[in-house]
Amino acid sequence: MDAQQLNQIVKDVLSKQDAAQPFERKKMERVIDAAVAKADDLGVGVTICLMNQARIVQMLYHMPNGNLVGSLLAPKKAWSAIAMEEPTKDISRDIQPGGPLYQMETMLDGKLVSFPGGIPIVIDDKIIGAIGVSGGRVEEDQAICEAAIREFLKEV
């Protein structure tokens, strides 16, 4: 085995370690940066929450121009996306009067959010966490969250 082969083996091992740790701090910072850039493009201040599958907040960032409500709703959007295993924008149809999960929001002590801005992070058909964004109009939160998800999935 020559030095080039050995270097390739080391690179392969290191790349697998990075992939095994999807919530590595530098990666999450890049995700937050992508979300902030999109929020700045839209002219809105938001809170961004990255949460792992165990529903533990891994990183939370509140933009200086974000509103107070966003700091409470962003983690709830991430939690809801994990708990319901779907984007929060899709939850609403099921909890409406006549829907199969009607009144679920009221049964969960306000934890469930059913409007856009929360998206599960799916890798190899498995939810490993979620991102929640709140502070703008729902379409802005959704667009910012989508930008964050795209950045998160770049290195998968």
Side-chain angles (χ1 to χ4, degrees):
M1 179 179 298
D2 65 17
Q4 185 177 3
Q5 290 171 319
L6 185 59
N7 283 339
Q8 186 59 46
I9 290 170
V10 170
K11 285 180 185 178
D12 290 343
V13 168
L14 289 175
S15 71
K16 288 178 185 172
Q17 285 179 340
D18 288 342
Q21 298 180 20
F23 292 95
E24 187 270 325
R25 183 181 55 82
K26 290 189 185 305
K27 178 179 185 167
M28 290 189 295
E29 288 173 353
R30 288 190 298 274
V31 171
I32 296 287
D33 289 344
V36 167
K38 182 66 175 178
D40 286 343
D41 286 347
L42 296 172
V44 63
V46 296
T47 301
I48 305 117
C49 176
L50 285 84
M51 185 176 284
N52 69 13
Q53 174 60 24
R55 292 164 191 85
I56 297 169
V57 172
Q58 297 298 296
M59 187 170 279
L60 181 77
Y61 179 69
H62 179 79
M63 294 175 65
N65 59 334
N67 62 39
L68 185 56
V69 171
S71 65
L72 296 173
L73 284 177
K76 286 184 175 192
K77 287 182 180 185
W79 184 93
S80 298
I82 295 168
M84 297 299 288
E85 300 180 347
E86 65 182 337
T88 56
K89 70 180 182 65
D90 296 337
I91 297 170
S92 184
R93 69 176 176 266
D94 292 333
I95 62 169
Q96 298 300 314
L101 301 175
Y102 177 55
Q103 293 187 339
M104 182 178 240
E105 278 181 305
T106 60
M107 294 175 194
L108 293 174
D109 299 322
K111 288 183 182 178
L112 187 67
V113 174
S114 63
F115 43 88
I119 302 174
I121 303 167
V122 180
I123 297 177
D124 295 328
D125 296 322
K126 182 180 179 210
I127 295 174
I128 64 153
I131 299 175
V133 174
S134 187
R137 294 188 322 267
V138 292
E139 12 347 289
E140 293 168 331
D141 290 352
Q142 183 68 22
I144 296 163
C145 196
E146 288 171 2
I149 289 286
R150 277 192 301 277
E151 183 63 31
F152 192 98
L153 295 176
K154 273 186 181 178
E155 300 170 15
V156 174

